């Protein structure tokens, strides 16, 4: 398969998919119904045109018959007046009119046949249009109900586009909340450990923090001693007594001792 054929196939496939997505069966049915109404209207106009032609031919036949009857009367009068030539002329004209009447009768029969066919076709088409309209409304109602049910199911299951966006927004909000909570906890730990300076704290807070840390250490020692069965934490080993000879006693204190 050549590249151009593959491009054409891909384009047709994507165009078909886009058309299927944009197509609304209800709009297609309404459009088809309108086209059928237009066809029915054209058939009605055709029936009316044929009926008009038939009526025009009937009027022409009636007029020719009246002229033929008049020529017959004129021929009789001419015979009564011994004017055979005039009677012959009148009968000759009557013969011509009779031929025209026969031709018009043939056309009239053809028009009547066409009119009957068109009338029958109009009735059949009108019945089909009415049946299509009823079926169209039923299909539209069914499609609308199915569409609503699908949207409801998608909303309930959360797979719809709108509910999917809402679910993703909630997930992002929860993620950001957890991130902010973790960040706040980490900053508190860093401030407590002294890794970060509290710019709003006073200068005594550092001493307080050290005392708190020392108190915490003593608490740990006390609890450890209690676990070992001791009544009190092990005291810190006393320092050996200093050699008084080594210590330099002030002179005023020596005089007081003497």
């Amino acid at each position: 398969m050549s590249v151009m054929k593959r491009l054409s196939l891909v384009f047709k496939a994507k165009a078909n998919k886009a058309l299927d997505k944009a197509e609304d069966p209800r709009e297609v049915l309404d459009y088809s119904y309108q086209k059928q109404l237009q066809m029915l209207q054209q058939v009605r106009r055709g029936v009316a045109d044929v009926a008009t032609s038939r009526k025009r031919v009937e009027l022409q036949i009636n007029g020719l018959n009246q002229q033929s009857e008049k020529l017959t009367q004129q021929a009789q009068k001419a015979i009564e007046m011994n004017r055979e030539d005039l009677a012959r002329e009148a009968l000759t004209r009557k013969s011509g009119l009779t031929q025209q009447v026969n031709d018009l009768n043939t056309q009239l029969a053809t028009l009547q046949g066409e009119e009957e066919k068109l009338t029958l076709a109009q009735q059949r088409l009108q019945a089909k249009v009415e049946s299509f309209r009823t079926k169209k409304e039923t299909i539209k109602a069914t499609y609308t109900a199915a569409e609503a049910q699908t949207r409801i199911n998608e909303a309930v299951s959360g797979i719809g586009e709108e509910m999917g966006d809402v679910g993703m927004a909630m997930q992002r909000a929860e993620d950001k909340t957890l991130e902010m909570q973790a960040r706040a906890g980490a900053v508190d730990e860093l401030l407590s450990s002294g890794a970060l300076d509290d710019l709003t704290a006073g200068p005594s807070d550092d001493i307080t923090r050290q005392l708190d840390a020392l108190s915490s250490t003593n608490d740990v020692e006390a609890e450890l001693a209690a676990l070992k069965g001791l009544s009190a934490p092990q005291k810190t080993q006393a320092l050996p007594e200093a050699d008084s000879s080594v210590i330099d006693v002030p002179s005023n204190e020596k005089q007081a001792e003497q």
Side-chain angles (χ1 to χ4, degrees):
M1 183 179 293
S2 63
V3 177
M4 294 301 297
K5 287 184 178 179
R6 291 183 60 185
L7 288 175
S8 176
L9 182 60
V10 170
F11 177 77
K12 289 180 180 177
K14 289 186 177 299
N16 187 33
K17 185 177 180 180
L19 289 176
D20 287 341
K21 188 176 181 179
E23 183 183 25
D24 190 344
R26 293 166 294 188
E27 296 178 353
V28 175
L29 291 174
D30 288 338
Y31 179 76
S32 300
Y33 179 66
Q34 292 298 326
K35 296 297 291 184
Q36 292 186 12
L37 288 179
Q38 292 178 1
M39 292 176 58
L40 180 60
Q41 188 66 20
Q42 291 178 357
V43 173
R44 287 174 177 173
R45 288 176 182 173
V47 173
D49 293 340
V50 173
T52 301
S53 299
R54 175 184 56 77
K55 191 64 178 179
R56 186 181 300 111
V57 171
E58 289 178 353
L59 293 175
Q60 289 178 356
I61 291 174
N62 291 332
L64 292 176
N65 287 331
Q66 290 176 0
Q67 292 180 11
S68 179
E69 183 67 22
K70 185 177 180 180
L71 289 172
T72 301
Q73 293 175 0
Q74 290 176 351
Q76 289 178 354
K77 288 183 179 178
I79 293 297
E80 292 174 356
M81 296 173 63
N82 294 324
R83 294 292 304 272
E84 186 177 349
D85 56 338
L86 293 177
R88 189 183 302 277
E89 180 64 22
L91 293 176
T92 302
R93 293 182 179 179
K94 178 184 176 183
S95 177
L97 292 178
T98 302
Q99 185 63 36
Q100 293 183 15
V101 169
N102 292 334
D103 294 340
L104 288 176
N105 282 328
T106 302
Q107 294 181 12
L108 179 62
T110 302
L111 290 174
Q112 287 177 344
E114 293 295 332
E115 184 179 358
E116 291 177 358
K117 290 180 181 178
L118 288 175
T119 302
L120 182 60
Q122 174 193 345
Q123 293 174 354
R124 290 179 177 175
L125 181 59
Q126 185 171 358
K128 288 185 178 180
V129 171
E130 291 295 330
S131 176
F132 180 81
R133 186 182 67 84
T134 303
K135 191 173 183 179
K136 171 180 72 72
E137 296 299 330
T138 303
I139 293 175
K140 287 175 61 178
T142 305
Y143 181 83
T144 302
E147 186 181 37
Q149 186 64 39
T150 301
R151 290 182 177 176
I152 292 173
N153 292 336
E154 289 180 352
V156 172
S157 60
I159 61 176
E161 294 182 357
E162 295 181 356
M163 294 305 297
D165 295 339
V166 172
M168 293 178 63
M170 292 178 62
Q171 184 63 38
R172 289 195 297 271
E174 291 178 355
D175 292 342
K176 288 185 177 179
T177 302
L178 292 175
E179 183 179 356
M180 291 300 295
Q181 290 177 346
R183 186 177 181 83
V187 172
D188 286 341
E189 291 181 356
L190 293 174
L191 289 173
S192 299
S193 63
L196 291 178
D197 294 332
D198 188 358
L199 300 179
T200 61
S204 60
D205 289 346
D206 186 31
I207 299 173
T208 303
R209 184 168 57 250
Q210 293 181 13
L211 292 175
D212 292 339
L214 182 60
S215 176
S216 177
T217 302
N218 293 332
D219 293 339
V220 171
E221 293 295 335
E223 186 174 1
L224 180 61
L227 292 176
K228 291 180 178 181
L230 299 179
S231 58
Q234 186 176 1
K235 294 183 179 179
T236 305
Q237 187 175 1
L239 294 174
E241 293 183 358
D243 188 0
S244 58
S245 60
V246 177
I247 298 175
D248 184 14
V249 179
S251 58
N252 55 353
E253 293 182 0
K254 291 180 178 182
Q255 292 177 358
E257 290 177 356
Q258 291 175 357

